[in-house]
Amino acid sequence: MANFKNTLRQILAPCMLATLMIGNGAVHAQSASIPASLEGTYSLTFGSAQSGSPLENGTTVDMVIAAGGTVCIADLVLSSPTVSGAEATWSVPALDVQLAISDVESGSFNEANVLSASGTFLGQFTGDKVSNSTSCALLGGTPPDMSQVSNLVAKAEELYADLFPSTAVNTAFSILDGYIYRYYDSTGIYIGIKDNTVYVLGGEFGDGAPVTIGTIANTLAELTGQPVDPIEEPVVEVPEGDYNLTISGTVSTSGVSTPFTFTIDSIPAPGNAEISTLEDDVKEALADADGVDTSTFGDIEVSEVSVTDDRVFYRAQFTATTTTQTQIGPITSNVAYNLTFEYLKK
């Protein structure tokens, strides 16, 4: 544990400056009613290709219509369609097209027309429903609540445009290796969701392993400034072994937050006792840090615990009061720590 405590001292004490993931006001995605009778998996073939079509006649795809108007097709997941008459239409900005599925009035599948962004007919998919399954093959399961995903990404783009430049359409995402993701070419950053957990990769987050941010619900709550439900301290069984530890998160003071990521190579994963006594470990680690009064620490909340054979993850949140010496005298600040600990087995 000495290595762990020394690292906490190095990371937490200096991080008192810039803002990440605090904002006000929720973002609301457009919603539309898609009949439950349309939900299921379809085997489709493209035909009637017109000039400018992104697809050739005879192209085959599986398409899944899931609850809430979510569609998985090829390596894309689409959400929040607009409905006009018998058609529900999804935007696909990556291909500069729209997908218009009918018939939402009757609840029976007729066709899926491919249109240009301006509405010009480019061709259509026809075929049949082959099952009632709403599991997307590339996701390895049913899509999550895409309204939450869209809201989360839209809020990240709003608050942190330097990292996630705003996109015109926030209802279409790509799929890869079980991740629903969006890539920002100008910053080289990915934001992705897998197994209800939010990750970032690339740019200032590094090109190694994806950096864990937290669950969809907790990340969205943090972005929008909404409260998170009370957390019960977890009890977990942690597998033995040698791990790489990545500590990520934010340290916030005076409305300004600093994001950071730090990795420790070759460290044992915490045992049950160490997770339950994390508060004491953090206090001891920061006891000698300049300006940090550990007696002012609030209760540490440990949440989002996830344990598999090769990964241990949890979040720790707490507050403290610090005093910084300046040319005009000491300045006392209230500081909020929001940290994630991810152990990956070597």
Side-chain angles (χ1 to χ4, degrees):
M1 288 297 294
N3 193 7
F4 174 74
K5 294 172 183 176
N6 289 336
T7 301
L8 282 176
R9 182 181 292 112
Q10 295 168 11
I11 293 174
L12 303 183
C15 295
M16 306 288 179
L17 294 177
T19 292
L20 178 69
M21 294 192 167
I22 299 293
N24 294 310
V27 183
H28 299 284
Q30 182 180 14
S31 61
S33 177
I34 305 299
S37 59
L38 281 174
E39 295 175 14
T41 299
Y42 297 78
S43 179
L44 305 179
T45 302
F46 189 73
S48 303
Q50 305 295 302
S51 176
S53 171
L55 300 169
E56 297 181 352
N57 286 333
T59 301
T60 59
V61 298
D62 287 335
M63 179 181 74
V64 173
I65 302 178
T70 297
V71 167
C72 296
I73 184 167
D75 59 351
L76 299 169
V77 59
L78 315 174
S79 66
S80 301
T82 58
V83 173
S84 178
E87 283 191 331
T89 302
W90 291 258
S91 294
V92 190
L95 300 177
D96 200 27
V97 299
Q98 303 175 73
L99 182 71
I101 295 176
S102 61
D103 185 323
V104 296
E105 288 183 330
S106 69
S108 297
F109 179 76
N110 183 26
E111 62 195 16
N113 291 323
V114 177
L115 312 173
S116 71
S118 61
T120 301
F121 177 78
L122 297 176
Q124 66 183 202
F125 287 104
T126 57
D128 300 299
K129 179 189 281 191
V130 295
S131 79
N132 290 321
S133 172
T134 56
S135 177
C136 300
L138 292 180
L139 284 180
T142 300
D145 183 345
M146 290 304 298
S147 65
Q148 282 194 326
V149 173
S150 295
N151 291 351
L152 186 155
V153 173
K155 197 63 181 177
E157 290 178 351
E158 175 190 339
L159 294 175
Y160 308 104
D162 57 326
L163 301 175
F164 313 109
S166 180
T167 53
V169 177
N170 204 36
T171 57
F173 299 85
S174 299
I175 308 173
L176 179 66
D177 294 336
Y179 289 89
I180 295 173
Y181 75 92
R182 176 164 294 159
Y183 176 64
Y184 299 88
D185 185 66
S186 62
T187 61
I189 293 175
Y190 295 83
I191 183 168
I193 290 90
K194 184 176 183 180
D195 298 331
N196 199 43
T197 302
V198 182
Y199 299 87
V200 289
L201 176 70
E204 68 177 55
F205 299 104
D207 295 321
V211 176
T212 304
I213 300 300
T215 64
I216 294 175
N218 279 33
T219 303
L220 185 57
E222 189 175 358
L223 283 167
T224 58
Q226 303 301 309
V228 180
D229 290 339
I231 299 165
E232 294 184 0
E233 296 292 331
V235 177
V236 297
E237 294 295 332
V238 179
E240 296 181 354
D242 196 17
Y243 290 76
N244 288 333
L245 168 63
T246 298
I247 303 175
S248 305
T250 61
V251 180
S252 308
T253 182
S254 302
V256 177
S257 255
T258 299
F260 66 88
T261 297
F262 190 91
T263 300
I264 307 171
D265 184 49
S266 298
I267 186 172
N272 296 340
E274 289 168 359
I275 289 182
S276 64
T277 61
L278 181 62
E279 180 172 356
D280 292 336
D281 292 332
V282 172
K283 287 182 177 180
E284 184 176 344
L286 294 179
D288 300 326
D290 292 339
V292 178
D293 182 359
T294 57
S295 68
T296 67
F297 277 25
D299 291 339
I300 294 179
E301 293 182 334
V302 178
S303 65
E304 301 177 39
V305 174
S306 174
V307 179
T308 65
D309 289 341
D310 56 6
R311 178 178 180 265
V312 177
F313 174 86
Y314 61 91
R315 178 182 297 275
Q317 295 172 281
F318 58 99
T319 59
T321 300
T322 65
T323 301
T324 304
Q325 296 296 329
T326 70
Q327 292 181 344
I328 60 174
I331 296 178
T332 300
S333 304
N334 294 320
V335 182
Y337 297 87
N338 188 347
L339 312 176
T340 63
F341 297 77
E342 185 175 37
Y343 296 78
L344 296 176
K345 200 166 190 177
K346 299 182 68 174

